[in-house]
Amino acid sequence: MLATLYLSGMHSRINYVAAYPGHSTGSGNDIMAQPLSVFAKCFRGKYLPDLILRHKDATKSQTARIDRIRIGPSNQLNTINLNEKPRYNGKAYKRCPLRQGKTVLVVDDFCTRGYSLEAARSYLEQAGVEV
């Protein structure tokens, strides 16, 4: 991922990096936190560990498929929201840093159908940023 972003020149447009949260209530991804923080610093961006919040547990796509349960995009859309005052280096922003002209890179640790990344894109674009 690093090489692709760098060689394509996309790295120069990234202002913020955020991890898509796991399926349980909460934010961020503990396993990806340090690598994403380093990645953001390398490209002069900021890692926002709690930009995307999971306010309600979501069904895992892999589990649903095994149990033959159909889930759709609402499984993600109805369980996340954006944090208006995310943290950066342990301190919360006083005003939302998301605005027109800013770009957010959202990273998920696994992609089954793309519903989670599509949900994040939808919320972030409504906030006026490029994803």
Side-chain angles (χ1 to χ4, degrees), residues 58-91:
T59 305
K60 283 187 169 186
S61 298
Q62 303 95 319
T63 305
R65 189 177 26 209
I66 291 167
D67 295 339
R68 298 184 190 271
I69 298 170
R70 292 188 65 151
I71 59 170
S74 62
N75 180 51
Q76 295 296 326
L77 285 169
N78 295 337
T79 61
I80 66 165
N81 62 342
L82 296 181
N83 184 357
E84 290 188 27
K85 297 178 182 173
R87 290 178 297 119
Y88 171 65
N89 281 343
K91 295 181 183 178

PDB file of all heavy atoms in Angstrom, residues 58-91:
ATOM      1  N   ALA A  58     -21.667  -4.547  15.017  1.00  0.00           N
ATOM      2  CA  ALA A  58     -22.082  -4.926  13.661  1.00  0.00           C
ATOM      3  C   ALA A  58     -21.819  -6.413  13.450  1.00  0.00           C
ATOM      4  O   ALA A  58     -20.887  -6.972  14.022  1.00  0.00           O
ATOM      5  CB  ALA A  58     -21.307  -4.114  12.624  1.00  0.00           C
ATOM      6  N   THR A  59     -22.629  -7.031  12.619  1.00  0.00           N
ATOM      7  CA  THR A  59     -22.439  -8.439  12.286  1.00  0.00           C
ATOM      8  C   THR A  59     -21.252  -8.581  11.350  1.00  0.00           C
ATOM      9  O   THR A  59     -21.132  -7.833  10.382  1.00  0.00           O
ATOM     10  CB  THR A  59     -23.704  -8.994  11.597  1.00  0.00           C
ATOM     11  OG1 THR A  59     -24.823  -8.766  12.441  1.00  0.00           O
ATOM     12  CG2 THR A  59     -23.569 -10.471  11.304  1.00  0.00           C
ATOM     13  N   LYS A  60     -20.368  -9.539  11.636  1.00  0.00           N
ATOM     14  CA  LYS A  60     -19.235  -9.794  10.744  1.00  0.00           C
ATOM     15  C   LYS A  60     -19.740 -10.448   9.465  1.00  0.00           C
ATOM     16  O   LYS A  60     -20.547 -11.380   9.509  1.00  0.00           O
ATOM     17  CB  LYS A  60     -18.230 -10.746  11.401  1.00  0.00           C
ATOM     18  CG  LYS A  60     -17.364 -10.120  12.429  1.00  0.00           C
ATOM     19  CD  LYS A  60     -16.316 -11.123  12.877  1.00  0.00           C
ATOM     20  CE  LYS A  60     -15.264 -10.445  13.700  1.00  0.00           C
ATOM     21  NZ  LYS A  60     -14.165 -11.366  14.018  1.00  0.00           N
ATOM     22  N   SER A  61     -19.258  -9.975   8.329  1.00  0.00           N
ATOM     23  CA  SER A  61     -19.683 -10.534   7.045  1.00  0.00           C
ATOM     24  C   SER A  61     -19.319 -12.006   6.927  1.00  0.00           C
ATOM     25  O   SER A  61     -20.105 -12.809   6.425  1.00  0.00           O
ATOM     26  CB  SER A  61     -19.036  -9.763   5.888  1.00  0.00           C
ATOM     27  OG  SER A  61     -19.443  -8.430   5.909  1.00  0.00           O
ATOM     28  N   GLN A  62     -18.114 -12.357   7.395  1.00  0.00           N
ATOM     29  CA  GLN A  62     -17.678 -13.749   7.310  1.00  0.00           C
ATOM     30  C   GLN A  62     -18.593 -14.665   8.120  1.00  0.00           C
ATOM     31  O   GLN A  62     -18.987 -15.742   7.671  1.00  0.00           O
ATOM     32  CB  GLN A  62     -16.233 -13.925   7.819  1.00  0.00           C
ATOM     33  CG  GLN A  62     -15.225 -13.084   7.122  1.00  0.00           C
ATOM     34  CD  GLN A  62     -14.943 -11.782   7.866  1.00  0.00           C
ATOM     35  OE1 GLN A  62     -15.847 -11.135   8.377  1.00  0.00           O
ATOM     36  NE2 GLN A  62     -13.696 -11.386   7.906  1.00  0.00           N
ATOM     37  N   THR A  63     -18.965 -14.231   9.328  1.00  0.00           N
ATOM     38  CA  THR A  63     -19.850 -15.023  10.191  1.00  0.00           C
ATOM     39  C   THR A  63     -21.233 -15.141   9.565  1.00  0.00           C
ATOM     40  O   THR A  63     -21.824 -16.220   9.550  1.00  0.00           O
ATOM     41  CB  THR A  63     -19.961 -14.372  11.585  1.00  0.00           C
ATOM     42  OG1 THR A  63     -18.652 -14.213  12.120  1.00  0.00           O
ATOM     43  CG2 THR A  63     -20.796 -15.201  12.521  1.00  0.00           C
ATOM     44  N   ALA A  64     -21.737 -14.048   9.034  1.00  0.00           N
ATOM     45  CA  ALA A  64     -23.062 -14.060   8.405  1.00  0.00           C
ATOM     46  C   ALA A  64     -23.092 -15.020   7.224  1.00  0.00           C
ATOM     47  O   ALA A  64     -24.060 -15.763   7.046  1.00  0.00           O
ATOM     48  CB  ALA A  64     -23.440 -12.654   7.958  1.00  0.00           C
ATOM     49  N   ARG A  65     -22.023 -15.015   6.433  1.00  0.00           N
ATOM     50  CA  ARG A  65     -21.979 -15.902   5.270  1.00  0.00           C
ATOM     51  C   ARG A  65     -22.000 -17.368   5.708  1.00  0.00           C
ATOM     52  O   ARG A  65     -22.714 -18.191   5.134  1.00  0.00           O
ATOM     53  CB  ARG A  65     -20.727 -15.602   4.447  1.00  0.00           C
ATOM     54  CG  ARG A  65     -20.707 -16.319   3.124  1.00  0.00           C
ATOM     55  CD  ARG A  65     -19.507 -15.960   2.299  1.00  0.00           C
ATOM     56  NE  ARG A  65     -18.425 -15.536   3.191  1.00  0.00           N
ATOM     57  CZ  ARG A  65     -17.484 -14.679   2.870  1.00  0.00           C
ATOM     58  NH1 ARG A  65     -17.445 -14.156   1.693  1.00  0.00           N
ATOM     59  NH2 ARG A  65     -16.550 -14.346   3.711  1.00  0.00           N
ATOM     60  N   ILE A  66     -21.235 -17.711   6.734  1.00  0.00           N
ATOM     61  CA  ILE A  66     -21.194 -19.089   7.234  1.00  0.00           C
ATOM     62  C   ILE A  66     -22.569 -19.500   7.767  1.00  0.00           C
ATOM     63  O   ILE A  66     -23.025 -20.621   7.541  1.00  0.00           O
ATOM     64  CB  ILE A  66     -20.114 -19.234   8.328  1.00  0.00           C
ATOM     65  CG1 ILE A  66     -18.727 -19.105   7.693  1.00  0.00           C
ATOM     66  CG2 ILE A  66     -20.245 -20.563   9.068  1.00  0.00           C
ATOM     67  CD1 ILE A  66     -17.600 -18.923   8.688  1.00  0.00           C
ATOM     68  N   ASP A  67     -23.229 -18.567   8.458  1.00  0.00           N
ATOM     69  CA  ASP A  67     -24.545 -18.848   9.035  1.00  0.00           C
ATOM     70  C   ASP A  67     -25.686 -18.633   8.043  1.00  0.00           C
ATOM     71  O   ASP A  67     -26.854 -18.736   8.415  1.00  0.00           O
ATOM     72  CB  ASP A  67     -24.773 -17.962  10.263  1.00  0.00           C
ATOM     73  CG  ASP A  67     -23.813 -18.286  11.398  1.00  0.00           C
ATOM     74  OD1 ASP A  67     -23.254 -19.394  11.417  1.00  0.00           O
ATOM     75  OD2 ASP A  67     -23.626 -17.399  12.265  1.00  0.00           O
ATOM     76  N   ARG A  68     -25.341 -18.309   6.803  1.00  0.00           N
ATOM     77  CA  ARG A  68     -26.320 -18.075   5.735  1.00  0.00           C
ATOM     78  C   ARG A  68     -27.311 -16.952   6.081  1.00  0.00           C
ATOM     79  O   ARG A  68     -28.498 -17.033   5.809  1.00  0.00           O
ATOM     80  CB  ARG A  68     -27.046 -19.351   5.352  1.00  0.00           C
ATOM     81  CG  ARG A  68     -26.115 -20.415   4.818  1.00  0.00           C
ATOM     82  CD  ARG A  68     -26.878 -21.634   4.351  1.00  0.00           C
ATOM     83  NE  ARG A  68     -25.992 -22.719   4.054  1.00  0.00           N
ATOM     84  CZ  ARG A  68     -25.434 -22.933   2.864  1.00  0.00           C
ATOM     85  NH1 ARG A  68     -25.680 -22.131   1.866  1.00  0.00           N
ATOM     86  NH2 ARG A  68     -24.639 -23.969   2.669  1.00  0.00           N
ATOM     87  N   ILE A  69     -26.758 -15.895   6.687  1.00  0.00           N
ATOM     88  CA  ILE A  69     -27.550 -14.710   7.011  1.00  0.00           C
ATOM     89  C   ILE A  69     -27.192 -13.632   6.001  1.00  0.00           C
ATOM     90  O   ILE A  69     -26.018 -13.351   5.778  1.00  0.00           O
ATOM     91  CB  ILE A  69     -27.229 -14.205   8.436  1.00  0.00           C
ATOM     92  CG1 ILE A  69     -27.579 -15.276   9.471  1.00  0.00           C
ATOM     93  CG2 ILE A  69     -27.960 -12.905   8.729  1.00  0.00           C
ATOM     94  CD1 ILE A  69     -27.071 -14.949  10.870  1.00  0.00           C
ATOM     95  N   ARG A  70     -28.193 -13.051   5.389  1.00  0.00           N
ATOM     96  CA  ARG A  70     -27.944 -11.981   4.413  1.00  0.00           C
ATOM     97  C   ARG A  70     -27.809 -10.659   5.144  1.00  0.00           C
ATOM     98  O   ARG A  70     -28.676 -10.299   5.940  1.00  0.00           O
ATOM     99  CB  ARG A  70     -29.076 -11.905   3.411  1.00  0.00           C
ATOM    100  CG  ARG A  70     -29.132 -13.122   2.510  1.00  0.00           C
ATOM    101  CD  ARG A  70     -30.125 -12.909   1.441  1.00  0.00           C
ATOM    102  NE  ARG A  70     -29.619 -11.798   0.629  1.00  0.00           N
ATOM    103  CZ  ARG A  70     -29.868 -11.629  -0.648  1.00  0.00           C
ATOM    104  NH1 ARG A  70     -30.636 -12.468  -1.274  1.00  0.00           N
ATOM    105  NH2 ARG A  70     -29.375 -10.615  -1.308  1.00  0.00           N
ATOM    106  N   ILE A  71     -26.727  -9.967   4.871  1.00  0.00           N
ATOM    107  CA  ILE A  71     -26.566  -8.627   5.413  1.00  0.00           C
ATOM    108  C   ILE A  71     -26.236  -7.699   4.255  1.00  0.00           C
ATOM    109  O   ILE A  71     -25.705  -8.127   3.233  1.00  0.00           O
ATOM    110  CB  ILE A  71     -25.478  -8.540   6.504  1.00  0.00           C
ATOM    111  CG1 ILE A  71     -24.121  -8.991   5.962  1.00  0.00           C
ATOM    112  CG2 ILE A  71     -25.855  -9.330   7.730  1.00  0.00           C
ATOM    113  CD1 ILE A  71     -22.977  -8.706   6.897  1.00  0.00           C
ATOM    114  N   GLY A  72     -26.555  -6.458   4.413  1.00  0.00           N
ATOM    115  CA  GLY A  72     -26.291  -5.487   3.359  1.00  0.00           C
ATOM    116  C   GLY A  72     -25.539  -4.296   3.917  1.00  0.00           C
ATOM    117  O   GLY A  72     -25.045  -4.322   5.045  1.00  0.00           O
ATOM    118  N   PRO A  73     -25.469  -3.236   3.140  1.00  0.00           N
ATOM    119  CA  PRO A  73     -24.728  -2.043   3.564  1.00  0.00           C
ATOM    120  C   PRO A  73     -25.241  -1.424   4.859  1.00  0.00           C
ATOM    121  O   PRO A  73     -24.489  -0.801   5.591  1.00  0.00           O
ATOM    122  CB  PRO A  73     -24.921  -1.071   2.397  1.00  0.00           C
ATOM    123  CG  PRO A  73     -25.299  -1.921   1.233  1.00  0.00           C
ATOM    124  CD  PRO A  73     -25.992  -3.114   1.790  1.00  0.00           C
ATOM    125  N   SER A  74     -26.520  -1.606   5.170  1.00  0.00           N
ATOM    126  CA  SER A  74     -27.060  -1.001   6.390  1.00  0.00           C
ATOM    127  C   SER A  74     -26.405  -1.568   7.646  1.00  0.00           C
ATOM    128  O   SER A  74     -26.388  -0.914   8.686  1.00  0.00           O
ATOM    129  CB  SER A  74     -28.578  -1.178   6.463  1.00  0.00           C
ATOM    130  OG  SER A  74     -28.906  -2.542   6.500  1.00  0.00           O
ATOM    131  N   ASN A  75     -25.843  -2.772   7.568  1.00  0.00           N
ATOM    132  CA  ASN A  75     -25.109  -3.351   8.693  1.00  0.00           C
ATOM    133  C   ASN A  75     -23.963  -2.437   9.099  1.00  0.00           C
ATOM    134  O   ASN A  75     -23.624  -2.338  10.269  1.00  0.00           O
ATOM    135  CB  ASN A  75     -24.572  -4.742   8.307  1.00  0.00           C
ATOM    136  CG  ASN A  75     -23.801  -5.401   9.433  1.00  0.00           C
ATOM    137  OD1 ASN A  75     -24.278  -5.491  10.546  1.00  0.00           O
ATOM    138  ND2 ASN A  75     -22.596  -5.846   9.125  1.00  0.00           N
ATOM    139  N   GLN A  76     -23.378  -1.736   8.142  1.00  0.00           N
ATOM    140  CA  GLN A  76     -22.297  -0.789   8.429  1.00  0.00           C
ATOM    141  C   GLN A  76     -22.847   0.624   8.620  1.00  0.00           C
ATOM    142  O   GLN A  76     -22.506   1.308   9.576  1.00  0.00           O
ATOM    143  CB  GLN A  76     -21.258  -0.800   7.303  1.00  0.00           C
ATOM    144  CG  GLN A  76     -20.527  -2.118   7.163  1.00  0.00           C
ATOM    145  CD  GLN A  76     -19.692  -2.457   8.382  1.00  0.00           C
ATOM    146  OE1 GLN A  76     -19.142  -1.582   9.033  1.00  0.00           O
ATOM    147  NE2 GLN A  76     -19.614  -3.732   8.705  1.00  0.00           N
ATOM    148  N   LEU A  77     -23.695   1.065   7.712  1.00  0.00           N
ATOM    149  CA  LEU A  77     -24.219   2.437   7.770  1.00  0.00           C
ATOM    150  C   LEU A  77     -24.936   2.753   9.078  1.00  0.00           C
ATOM    151  O   LEU A  77     -24.857   3.871   9.578  1.00  0.00           O
ATOM    152  CB  LEU A  77     -25.170   2.702   6.600  1.00  0.00           C
ATOM    153  CG  LEU A  77     -24.512   2.905   5.245  1.00  0.00           C
ATOM    154  CD1 LEU A  77     -25.558   2.880   4.145  1.00  0.00           C
ATOM    155  CD2 LEU A  77     -23.726   4.203   5.218  1.00  0.00           C
ATOM    156  N   ASN A  78     -25.631   1.782   9.625  1.00  0.00           N
ATOM    157  CA  ASN A  78     -26.414   2.012  10.834  1.00  0.00           C
ATOM    158  C   ASN A  78     -25.634   1.779  12.124  1.00  0.00           C
ATOM    159  O   ASN A  78     -26.203   1.870  13.209  1.00  0.00           O
ATOM    160  CB  ASN A  78     -27.659   1.128  10.839  1.00  0.00           C
ATOM    161  CG  ASN A  78     -28.604   1.481   9.723  1.00  0.00           C
ATOM    162  OD1 ASN A  78     -28.590   2.595   9.209  1.00  0.00           O
ATOM    163  ND2 ASN A  78     -29.421   0.530   9.317  1.00  0.00           N
ATOM    164  N   THR A  79     -24.349   1.471  12.020  1.00  0.00           N
ATOM    165  CA  THR A  79     -23.585   1.178  13.232  1.00  0.00           C
ATOM    166  C   THR A  79     -22.367   2.077  13.416  1.00  0.00           C
ATOM    167  O   THR A  79     -21.634   1.921  14.390  1.00  0.00           O
ATOM    168  CB  THR A  79     -23.129  -0.298  13.249  1.00  0.00           C
ATOM    169  OG1 THR A  79     -22.296  -0.546  12.116  1.00  0.00           O
ATOM    170  CG2 THR A  79     -24.317  -1.254  13.234  1.00  0.00           C
ATOM    171  N   ILE A  80     -22.116   3.000  12.486  1.00  0.00           N
ATOM    172  CA  ILE A  80     -20.977   3.910  12.626  1.00  0.00           C
ATOM    173  C   ILE A  80     -21.427   5.363  12.535  1.00  0.00           C
ATOM    174  O   ILE A  80     -22.527   5.648  12.067  1.00  0.00           O
ATOM    175  CB  ILE A  80     -19.878   3.676  11.560  1.00  0.00           C
ATOM    176  CG1 ILE A  80     -20.389   4.009  10.161  1.00  0.00           C
ATOM    177  CG2 ILE A  80     -19.292   2.284  11.652  1.00  0.00           C
ATOM    178  CD1 ILE A  80     -19.302   4.164   9.113  1.00  0.00           C
ATOM    179  N   ASN A  81     -20.575   6.250  12.986  1.00  0.00           N
ATOM    180  CA  ASN A  81     -20.735   7.678  12.755  1.00  0.00           C
ATOM    181  C   ASN A  81     -19.356   8.324  12.843  1.00  0.00           C
ATOM    182  O   ASN A  81     -18.390   7.691  13.251  1.00  0.00           O
ATOM    183  CB  ASN A  81     -21.741   8.312  13.722  1.00  0.00           C
ATOM    184  CG  ASN A  81     -21.319   8.211  15.163  1.00  0.00           C
ATOM    185  OD1 ASN A  81     -20.476   7.427  15.531  1.00  0.00           O
ATOM    186  ND2 ASN A  81     -21.937   9.007  16.008  1.00  0.00           N
ATOM    187  N   LEU A  82     -19.277   9.575  12.436  1.00  0.00           N
ATOM    188  CA  LEU A  82     -18.015  10.306  12.502  1.00  0.00           C
ATOM    189  C   LEU A  82     -17.911  11.041  13.832  1.00  0.00           C
ATOM    190  O   LEU A  82     -18.896  11.592  14.318  1.00  0.00           O
ATOM    191  CB  LEU A  82     -17.904  11.312  11.358  1.00  0.00           C
ATOM    192  CG  LEU A  82     -17.854  10.751   9.953  1.00  0.00           C
ATOM    193  CD1 LEU A  82     -17.706  11.888   8.946  1.00  0.00           C
ATOM    194  CD2 LEU A  82     -16.716   9.760   9.797  1.00  0.00           C
ATOM    195  N   ASN A  83     -16.716  11.066  14.364  1.00  0.00           N
ATOM    196  CA  ASN A  83     -16.434  11.804  15.579  1.00  0.00           C
ATOM    197  C   ASN A  83     -16.120  13.247  15.177  1.00  0.00           C
ATOM    198  O   ASN A  83     -15.178  13.477  14.421  1.00  0.00           O
ATOM    199  CB  ASN A  83     -15.241  11.174  16.295  1.00  0.00           C
ATOM    200  CG  ASN A  83     -14.927  11.810  17.618  1.00  0.00           C
ATOM    201  OD1 ASN A  83     -15.551  12.780  18.021  1.00  0.00           O
ATOM    202  ND2 ASN A  83     -13.938  11.254  18.299  1.00  0.00           N
ATOM    203  N   GLU A  84     -16.903  14.202  15.648  1.00  0.00           N
ATOM    204  CA  GLU A  84     -16.691  15.600  15.274  1.00  0.00           C
ATOM    205  C   GLU A  84     -15.407  16.178  15.861  1.00  0.00           C
ATOM    206  O   GLU A  84     -14.868  17.146  15.337  1.00  0.00           O
ATOM    207  CB  GLU A  84     -17.886  16.449  15.696  1.00  0.00           C
ATOM    208  CG  GLU A  84     -19.116  16.168  14.872  1.00  0.00           C
ATOM    209  CD  GLU A  84     -20.225  17.152  15.173  1.00  0.00           C
ATOM    210  OE1 GLU A  84     -19.932  18.288  15.586  1.00  0.00           O
ATOM    211  OE2 GLU A  84     -21.382  16.767  14.989  1.00  0.00           O
ATOM    212  N   LYS A  85     -14.941  15.594  16.952  1.00  0.00           N
ATOM    213  CA  LYS A  85     -13.719  16.083  17.600  1.00  0.00           C
ATOM    214  C   LYS A  85     -12.767  14.918  17.857  1.00  0.00           C
ATOM    215  O   LYS A  85     -12.529  14.513  19.000  1.00  0.00           O
ATOM    216  CB  LYS A  85     -14.063  16.805  18.895  1.00  0.00           C
ATOM    217  CG  LYS A  85     -14.913  18.042  18.658  1.00  0.00           C
ATOM    218  CD  LYS A  85     -15.278  18.706  19.948  1.00  0.00           C
ATOM    219  CE  LYS A  85     -16.174  19.910  19.653  1.00  0.00           C
ATOM    220  NZ  LYS A  85     -16.690  20.496  20.867  1.00  0.00           N
ATOM    221  N   PRO A  86     -12.209  14.363  16.769  1.00  0.00           N
ATOM    222  CA  PRO A  86     -11.299  13.223  16.942  1.00  0.00           C
ATOM    223  C   PRO A  86     -10.009  13.638  17.648  1.00  0.00           C
ATOM    224  O   PRO A  86      -9.685  14.819  17.738  1.00  0.00           O
ATOM    225  CB  PRO A  86     -11.028  12.778  15.503  1.00  0.00           C
ATOM    226  CG  PRO A  86     -11.208  14.019  14.701  1.00  0.00           C
ATOM    227  CD  PRO A  86     -12.304  14.786  15.383  1.00  0.00           C
ATOM    228  N   ARG A  87      -9.283  12.639  18.117  1.00  0.00           N
ATOM    229  CA  ARG A  87      -8.012  12.878  18.798  1.00  0.00           C
ATOM    230  C   ARG A  87      -6.856  12.833  17.804  1.00  0.00           C
ATOM    231  O   ARG A  87      -6.886  12.098  16.830  1.00  0.00           O
ATOM    232  CB  ARG A  87      -7.759  11.812  19.859  1.00  0.00           C
ATOM    233  CG  ARG A  87      -8.666  11.908  21.060  1.00  0.00           C
ATOM    234  CD  ARG A  87      -8.407  10.807  22.074  1.00  0.00           C
ATOM    235  NE  ARG A  87      -8.678   9.498  21.502  1.00  0.00           N
ATOM    236  CZ  ARG A  87      -7.769   8.528  21.364  1.00  0.00           C
ATOM    237  NH1 ARG A  87      -6.551   8.678  21.776  1.00  0.00           N
ATOM    238  NH2 ARG A  87      -8.101   7.374  20.828  1.00  0.00           N
ATOM    239  N   TYR A  88      -5.850  13.629  18.085  1.00  0.00           N
ATOM    240  CA  TYR A  88      -4.577  13.579  17.362  1.00  0.00           C
ATOM    241  C   TYR A  88      -3.492  13.738  18.412  1.00  0.00           C
ATOM    242  O   TYR A  88      -3.507  14.707  19.182  1.00  0.00           O
ATOM    243  CB  TYR A  88      -4.486  14.682  16.301  1.00  0.00           C
ATOM    244  CG  TYR A  88      -3.111  14.787  15.689  1.00  0.00           C
ATOM    245  CD1 TYR A  88      -2.601  13.739  14.925  1.00  0.00           C
ATOM    246  CD2 TYR A  88      -2.318  15.897  15.891  1.00  0.00           C
ATOM    247  CE1 TYR A  88      -1.328  13.806  14.377  1.00  0.00           C
ATOM    248  CE2 TYR A  88      -1.047  15.979  15.338  1.00  0.00           C
ATOM    249  CZ  TYR A  88      -0.561  14.936  14.585  1.00  0.00           C
ATOM    250  OH  TYR A  88       0.700  14.995  14.046  1.00  0.00           O
ATOM    251  N   ASN A  89      -2.583  12.779  18.480  1.00  0.00           N
ATOM    252  CA  ASN A  89      -1.532  12.767  19.513  1.00  0.00           C
ATOM    253  C   ASN A  89      -2.124  12.858  20.919  1.00  0.00           C
ATOM    254  O   ASN A  89      -1.594  13.546  21.783  1.00  0.00           O
ATOM    255  CB  ASN A  89      -0.522  13.890  19.293  1.00  0.00           C
ATOM    256  CG  ASN A  89       0.476  13.556  18.210  1.00  0.00           C
ATOM    257  OD1 ASN A  89       0.636  12.404  17.828  1.00  0.00           O
ATOM    258  ND2 ASN A  89       1.154  14.565  17.707  1.00  0.00           N
ATOM    259  N   GLY A  90      -3.243  12.199  21.135  1.00  0.00           N
ATOM    260  CA  GLY A  90      -3.852  12.137  22.455  1.00  0.00           C
ATOM    261  C   GLY A  90      -4.738  13.305  22.836  1.00  0.00           C
ATOM    262  O   GLY A  90      -5.382  13.276  23.872  1.00  0.00           O
ATOM    263  N   LYS A  91      -4.793  14.343  22.021  1.00  0.00           N
ATOM    264  CA  LYS A  91      -5.612  15.514  22.340  1.00  0.00           C
ATOM    265  C   LYS A  91      -6.755  15.646  21.330  1.00  0.00           C
ATOM    266  O   LYS A  91      -6.543  15.486  20.134  1.00  0.00           O
ATOM    267  CB  LYS A  91      -4.767  16.785  22.308  1.00  0.00           C
ATOM    268  CG  LYS A  91      -3.695  16.803  23.383  1.00  0.00           C
ATOM    269  CD  LYS A  91      -2.899  18.085  23.327  1.00  0.00           C
ATOM    270  CE  LYS A  91      -1.791  18.046  24.374  1.00  0.00           C
ATOM    271  NZ  LYS A  91      -0.967  19.238  24.329  1.00  0.00           N
TER     272      LYS A  91
END
